[in-house]
Amino acid sequence: MSEDHPLFEQGRHLLSVSQFTRENLRAFFDLADAVDPIAKRQAVCTVLDGAMLGSLFFEPSTRTRLSFESAFLRLGGEVTTTTGFTFSSMAKGESIADTSRVVSGYSDVLVVRHPDKGSVAEFAEASTVPVINAGDGAGEHPSQALLDVYTLDKELTDRGKTIDGCHMAIIGDLKFGRTVHSLMKLMSLYKDLTFTVFSPVSLELPTEIEQYAVRHGHRVHVTGTVVEAVTGADAVYATRVQRERMTEELAQANTQGDLLNWSILAEANNLEAIIMHPLPRDSRPDSYDLSSDVDDLPGLAIFHQTDNGLNVRMAIFLTALGVSIEAVNLTTKQRPWKATLRS
Ligand code: NCD
């Protein structure tokens, strides 16, 4: 944890993964486990009855916004939301500070996504309630890293392994991919990790992130090919080319085949690897992303990540609003209805 980022607890903003220690991360994951029946909709909870989430997304989003909002609703709260600049008064030139002060007056917690690095911290400065960073440009995406590490821990445990000592391959756009920045920082809380990284030219991992991991005692090997990166890895984390954050020329230079597919994993003799991706996966031709031909492999964890996102985001709200698991259980009941398809 860095000195300028206080521990994430009741009444605090969540802006960076550096607000976690190994100890409070474990306690946080225990809370995410404890709300599983609510996440899985086996139980109905009203602990946040009367609470209002202000959800402000100034960049495209599907799963992050909907899972934050679903998490709040599942805990019994209510949600107000605005998406894009067009439909908010920022289109009339309103400052971040004014917007934040106003919306925090209507809400008990804010979730904010914005295209500029550092902008969510500006929202936090002016807000009267906790602000959760849902992605600030190429900066950080702490809730994604939390759900990634939560998922990785479960996948490795299922295989009799731990995050301590694991080998993680990280491939794709490592420059603009904020999920990778938060992930490597959060994983640095563990011990003795090997990261093998691969990125196309001009989309390399920022030196500060590499140095962060090295300073925490881990090995970072930059590789020249994806096959080399994924050989021997326990898990592979692939990311999309963040076309919206780069010049047209650079985006064009990164249109070619697949970043990762079945043949690449077969060539690396690693068809058993845990396969992760923050999603969305770019399914357009030559998008240079994760191919869907890996979807039947045993290690595919991308939809475990999205499902686990609900547990993690519930745990974020419960922590920020100071709600104990006892209070959650007191307001939880079994539900009589079933919403799943018959097989
Ligand atoms: C990511 C994001 O927005 O940073 N998506 C997400 O939140 N799951 C990754 C991406 O857009 O590529």
Side-chain angles (χ1 to χ4, degrees):
M1 192 185 63
S2 74
E3 309 71 53
D4 50 343
H5 286 108
L7 214 59
F8 178 53
E9 56 193 14
Q10 189 274 322
R12 290 266 167 81
H13 307 298
L14 174 56
L15 300 176
S16 166
V17 290
S18 53
Q19 292 173 257
F20 285 86
T21 60
R22 182 83 185 246
E23 291 68 38
N24 79 331
L25 185 63
R26 189 61 260 165
F28 178 85
F29 286 164
D30 289 345
L31 183 58
D33 281 341
V35 295
D36 198 52
I38 308 168
K40 299 275 188 309
R41 288 173 295 149
Q42 293 148 353
V44 179
C45 174
T46 53
V47 75
L48 293 189
D49 189 17
M52 181 64 78
L53 167 66
S55 164
L56 307 176
F57 277 73
F58 300 103
E59 263 193 343
S61 172
T62 301
R63 76 224 79 235
T64 304
R65 183 168 71 84
L66 293 184
S67 68
F68 264 121
E69 294 180 0
S70 301
F72 207 79
L73 291 165
R74 295 253 171 103
L75 291 168
E78 290 170 84
V79 176
T80 48
T81 186
T82 179
T83 54
F85 287 99
T86 327
F87 298 109
S88 87
S89 283
M90 284 202 171
K92 301 177 186 169
E94 188 168 50
S95 67
I96 285 183
D98 283 1
T99 304
S100 179
R101 171 62 191 84
V102 169
V103 184
S104 62
Y106 308 148
S107 316
D108 298 287
V109 58
L110 300 184
V111 171
V112 182
R113 170 174 285 191
H114 191 282
D116 298 335
K117 187 172 175 178
S119 55
V120 182
E122 263 185 72
F123 270 90
E125 285 270 303
S127 171
T128 57
V129 298
V131 172
I132 312 299
N133 181 1
D136 60 323
E140 277 216 42
H141 194 344
S143 66
Q144 180 70 41
L146 288 164
L147 76 88
D148 289 340
V149 175
Y150 181 69
T151 305
L152 180 65
D153 183 43
K154 289 191 182 306
E155 301 291 326
L156 287 168
T157 304
D158 287 349
R159 291 162 176 77
K161 294 181 181 175
T162 58
I163 298 184
D164 289 321
C166 90
H167 173 181
M168 181 86 166
I170 305 196
I171 59 172
D173 179 352
L174 310 185
K175 178 176 182 181
F176 296 108
R178 57 192 171 197
T179 67
V180 165
H181 306 163
S182 289
L183 177 65
M184 286 185 69
K185 282 168 86 173
L186 190 60
M187 284 186 73
S188 290
L189 291 177
Y190 290 80
K191 291 195 183 71
D192 190 29
L193 304 181
T194 303
F195 292 105
T196 43
V197 299
F198 170 83
S199 59
V201 178
S202 306
L203 300 178
E204 288 93 357
L205 186 69
T207 321
E208 77 209 59
I209 305 291
E210 180 177 340
Q211 281 171 356
Y212 188 99
V214 170
R215 249 198 340 270
H216 286 77
H218 308 297
R219 292 165 295 281
V220 180
H221 301 301
V222 178
T223 64
T225 63
V226 175
V227 173
E228 206 188 320
V230 303
T231 299
D234 297 299
V236 186
Y237 190 94
T239 60
R240 175 180 73 86
V241 178
Q242 307 273 305
R243 299 184 189 282
E244 68 280 24
R245 304 194 199 286
M246 60 185 72
T247 59
E248 183 56 35
E249 208 181 8
L250 190 52
Q252 270 303 322
N254 287 291
T255 47
Q256 52 189 301
D258 298 325
L259 171 68
L260 184 68
N261 57 25
W262 194 96
S263 338
I264 293 172
L265 285 164
E267 194 184 333
N269 199 17
N270 202 356
L271 287 168
E272 302 292 314
I274 298 164
I275 302 170
M276 300 178 71
H277 191 298
L279 302 183
R281 128 174 96 161
D282 191 340
S283 62
R284 292 169 290 194
D286 283 333
S287 60
Y288 201 47
D289 205 338
L290 176 68
S291 165
S292 57
D293 74 357
V294 302
D295 286 11
D296 291 330
L297 288 175
L300 190 83
I302 60 179
F303 301 117
H304 301 167
Q305 288 170 269
T306 52
D307 287 346
N308 288 336
L310 265 185
N311 299 55
V312 162
R313 290 179 171 125
M314 280 186 201
I316 288 174
F317 291 132
L318 294 174
T319 304
L321 296 173
V323 184
S324 67
I325 191 63
E326 290 75 25
V328 170
N329 290 339
L330 275 176
T331 54
T332 300
K333 58 178 197 283
Q334 295 303 307
R335 50 152 235 203
W337 41 271
K338 289 195 174 57
T340 43
L341 287 173
R342 274 174 197 277
S343 51

